[in-house]
Amino acid sequence: MFQGFIQIALTLIILVAIVRPLGSYIAQVFQGNKTFLDPVMRPVERVIYSAGGLRSLEAMTGRQYARALLLSNLAMGFLVYLIFMFQGLLPLNPTGLTAPSWDLALHTTISFLTNTDQQHYAGETTFSYLSQLTLNFLMFTSAATGLAVGIAFIRGLTGRPVGNFYADMIQSITRILLPLSVVGALLLLILGVPETLAGPETVTTLEGATQVIARGPVSHFEAIKQFGENGGGFFGINSAHPFENPNGATNLIETLAMMCIPASLIYTYGIFAKNTKQSWLIFWMVFIIFVILVGVTAIGEYQGNPLVNSILAAGDQPNLEGKEVRFGWAATAFWAVAATGTMTGAVNGMHDSLMPAGGFSTLFNLFLQIVWGGQGTGTAYLFIYLILTVFLTGLMVGRTPEFLGRKIEKWQIVLASVVLLVHPIAVLIPSAITLAFPETLAGISNPGFHGLSQVVYEYASAAANNGSGFEGLGDATLWWNLSCCFSLLAGRYISIVALLLLADSMANKQPVPETPGTLRTDSLLFTGITAGVILILGALTFFPVLALGPIAEAFQLAKG
């Protein structure tokens, strides 16, 4: 028991140590300050700007930023969809795979384009190496898009122009995602993750049978999958596969990789706002929520299934169903909370096999989207809650709501409300339709309370741009592919456009001088109120789902 919790504690300590240096570096990059990568990356960036015809990198308005983002994403999505549909005629296809169905290709394109990487297929039997490498391209661009939006939002909040989308996206790749991924890929390669374009290997087992072992260019795929909060696996079982995550060392690297950028972005905000005190208060607020969820999940997995334990002579045993024994209950529980908290969505064990406490924590993360949140966008969602807290507390004490010296008015609250309301709409409406036709649409593999969680989890994962699932669900159908596309697009682009417009409106406001009556947002009291607002507005929206899903399942197990 203690060994497992020590593993968790050491991982958390390393994460905290990373936040300040990485957050400072990200701030240097997007404030235009000199970095140690300038001599290498500036010439590369000039070539990219020239090849793309980007002669002017002037600051855009929020509308221009959103338009550039949407058009570039549309063009990339169209190109990738064509590659999928013609993969049978294209090179780097050693197993001769034909094109997937049009609806699966569409779902996969939109899924990876939106940084979700929700997979209704097994990679090694569906897509060629070229198609997998094309997905790798989207892993960089989708993560860079989210990071650019997060930085643009921070700029707007702190009174700066939102910036230029093309410059922000390219620098997100060249200065942050690519360097981290190169280092990460080399470490994973050294630790046993393969990187090859050779086809599958056919071997004879000890029993004399023939087995085909899939392989491919995995190590670089795995690196950006984690650093970019993508989560899509090269293989069907994702990071539970020994070629994606062979041992404890790779598991630690991949766990830290998915958390380091979103956690550090909170400190980046503090540098932009010239108020690192507030950023640390926000960081510790999120950290405490994260630790509580990890603790709840880990204890649930350690105590195991009471129905199984009741028939074991040895008494209580950890829940090892759906887990790789090389990771165990602690590392699997920590990963599940980290992957759903950061919107990475990768798995090193079956989320469907988690105890109800783990199901509660993972769903809770998908509903909140701020612990630690998506690549860049999660940081923006977090500050939406701060803006609403300023507004609500201002109403309660009779003060004009202000955030960072700028008044919060009707238009800002409307846009903030759009960001928060899109998510439940994209989750609950398609869930209700699907559950209304359980025999023909749902594909539930475990009826009852857990079956409801399976369906809601799939749409929550799509709308939150997470990508993980309660697998066992029969989601490889026309209905699931198309209905999830709705949640993917709504959860990603409606929120992003609203965030950019909100950031632009804040940037264009005249700053208000601070007075003794100004509500301070860098205090412990305000941070505590923000935590309360997050729990009330975020969690209670989905409380009926949690009550009918993991909470009811926990009571059912306890009853026996």
Side-chain angles (χ1 to χ4, degrees):
M1 174 179 180
F2 292 108
Q3 182 179 3
F5 284 106
I6 288 172
Q7 276 184 292
I8 292 171
L10 289 175
T11 307
L12 290 170
I13 290 169
I14 297 171
L15 174 66
V16 173
I18 290 172
V19 165
R20 183 169 182 170
L22 182 56
S24 299
Y25 172 74
I26 294 173
Q28 283 183 318
V29 169
F30 291 108
Q31 286 181 335
N33 299 331
K34 289 184 178 179
T35 68
F36 68 96
L37 287 176
D38 283 2
V40 177
M41 290 304 177
R42 275 188 176 167
V44 174
E45 289 163 0
R46 282 197 291 269
V47 171
I48 295 172
Y49 295 147
S50 177
L54 301 174
R55 297 178 180 83
S56 174
L57 295 175
E58 296 178 356
M60 298 174 169
T61 65
R63 292 179 184 276
Q64 291 170 334
Y65 203 102
R67 188 184 305 117
L69 184 155
L70 293 173
L71 289 175
S72 63
N73 276 229
L74 178 63
M76 289 186 289
F78 182 71
L79 173 64
V80 171
Y81 183 77
L82 288 179
I83 291 174
F84 289 165
M85 295 308 295
F86 290 98
Q87 76 169 8
L89 305 175
L90 297 173
L92 294 180
N93 187 7
T95 53
L97 292 170
T98 57
S101 64
W102 71 268
D103 55 297
L104 178 60
L106 179 65
H107 173 268
T108 304
T109 301
I110 293 174
S111 181
F112 279 76
L113 186 68
T114 57
N115 197 227
T116 310
D117 296 21
Q118 189 177 54
Q119 296 175 284
H120 291 171
Y121 64 91
E124 64 269 42
T125 59
T126 305
F127 285 116
S128 67
Y129 286 175
L130 178 62
S131 294
Q132 295 268 46
L133 291 172
T134 304
L135 292 177
N136 213 201
F137 158 73
L138 286 184
M139 285 180 169
F140 277 99
T141 58
S142 65
T145 296
L147 187 52
V149 169
I151 292 298
F153 191 79
I154 290 173
R155 288 196 188 109
L157 281 188
T158 54
R160 299 170 173 84
V162 295
N164 182 286
F165 169 71
Y166 299 112
D168 289 342
M169 185 180 74
I170 290 167
Q171 287 190 334
S172 294
I173 295 173
T174 59
R175 303 302 182 95
I176 299 168
L177 296 172
L178 183 60
L180 286 174
S181 295
V182 167
V183 173
L186 289 173
L187 288 174
L188 293 176
L189 187 62
I190 291 168
L191 291 168
V193 179
E195 180 73 21
T196 178
L197 291 176
E201 182 72 18
T202 302
V203 298
T204 302
T205 66
L206 293 175
E207 293 82 9
T210 299
Q211 182 176 351
V212 178
I213 300 176
R215 53 185 175 175
V218 183
S219 65
H220 83 278
F221 190 100
E222 193 73 13
I224 186 57
K225 161 189 156 184
Q226 299 299 102
F227 280 114
E229 289 187 62
N230 291 283
F234 193 93
F235 301 101
I237 60 172
N238 209 279
S239 291
H241 196 291
F243 283 177
E244 289 197 28
N245 190 9
N247 51 57
T250 58
N251 193 74
L252 175 63
I253 291 170
E254 292 177 25
T255 303
L256 291 170
M258 62 176 143
M259 293 190 293
C260 64
I261 293 178
S264 300
L265 275 173
I266 299 175
Y267 189 79
T268 300
Y269 157 78
I271 295 176
F272 270 86
K274 298 179 181 178
N275 190 345
T276 54
K277 176 187 175 183
Q278 184 185 39
S279 65
W280 278 120
L281 285 170
I282 297 169
F283 172 85
W284 290 117
M285 177 192 72
V286 177
F287 184 86
I288 289 169
I289 297 173
F290 178 72
V291 169
I292 291 171
L293 292 174
V294 170
V296 166
T297 305
I299 291 170
E301 298 306 307
Y302 177 75
Q303 291 176 338
N305 189 326
L307 299 182
V308 175
N309 291 338
S310 64
I311 60 175
L312 293 176
D316 290 357
Q317 294 291 320
N319 172 34
L320 295 179
E321 178 190 334
K323 294 178 178 61
E324 283 296 312
V325 292
R326 64 185 186 274
F327 304 134
W329 61 271
T332 305
F334 188 96
W335 180 294
V337 179
T340 51
T342 59
M343 301 306 124
T344 305
V347 296
N348 70 349
M350 289 289 286
H351 286 194
D352 191 54
S353 297
L354 293 172
M355 297 302 296
F360 177 93
S361 296
T362 51
L363 276 169
F364 188 84
N365 275 335
L366 296 179
F367 295 155
L368 286 188
Q369 301 189 83
I370 53 95
V371 187
W372 302 91
Q375 187 81 285
T377 55
T379 308
Y381 292 147
L382 179 58
F383 285 98
I384 291 293
Y385 282 111
L386 263 76
I387 289 171
L388 289 176
T389 304
V390 168
F391 181 74
L392 293 173
T393 52
L395 291 178
M396 287 189 289
V397 300
R399 293 177 179 173
T400 303
E402 299 168 8
F403 188 71
L404 298 181
R406 288 166 177 81
K407 289 186 177 182
I408 307 298
E409 297 175 307
K410 177 183 175 181
W411 180 234
Q412 287 74 48
I413 296 302
V414 168
L415 291 171
S417 300
V418 168
V419 173
L420 294 183
L421 290 174
V422 164
H423 190 55
I425 290 171
V427 174
L428 298 178
I429 290 178
S431 294
I433 297 171
T434 302
L435 290 167
F437 302 94
E439 300 298 327
T440 55
L441 297 182
I444 294 171
S445 62
N446 194 341
F449 302 123
H450 193 85
L452 183 143
S453 296
Q454 281 186 315
V455 170
V456 175
Y457 192 106
E458 189 74 4
Y459 287 116
S461 174
N465 302 137
N466 179 264
S468 63
F470 270 19
E471 296 309 337
L473 184 72
D475 53 19
T477 65
L478 178 66
W479 166 256
W480 277 111
N481 286 334
L482 297 185
S483 62
C484 282
C485 283
F486 162 75
S487 298
L488 290 165
L489 292 169
R492 177 71 162 182
Y493 294 113
I494 295 176
S495 299
I496 279 179
V497 171
L499 287 171
L500 291 171
L501 294 178
L502 176 55
D504 193 47
S505 70
M506 292 292 287
N508 292 326
K509 283 183 174 290
Q510 290 295 323
V512 179
E514 187 174 315
T515 68
T518 301
L519 178 66
R520 295 199 63 83
T521 58
D522 58 355
S523 67
L524 191 60
L525 175 61
F526 181 82
T527 307
I529 296 172
T530 302
V533 169
I534 289 171
L535 295 176
I536 292 170
L537 294 181
L540 291 186
T541 303
F542 293 96
F543 183 75
V545 172
L546 294 170
L548 292 172
I551 294 176
E553 187 182 358
F555 279 111
Q556 186 181 46
L557 281 178
K559 184 179 178 181

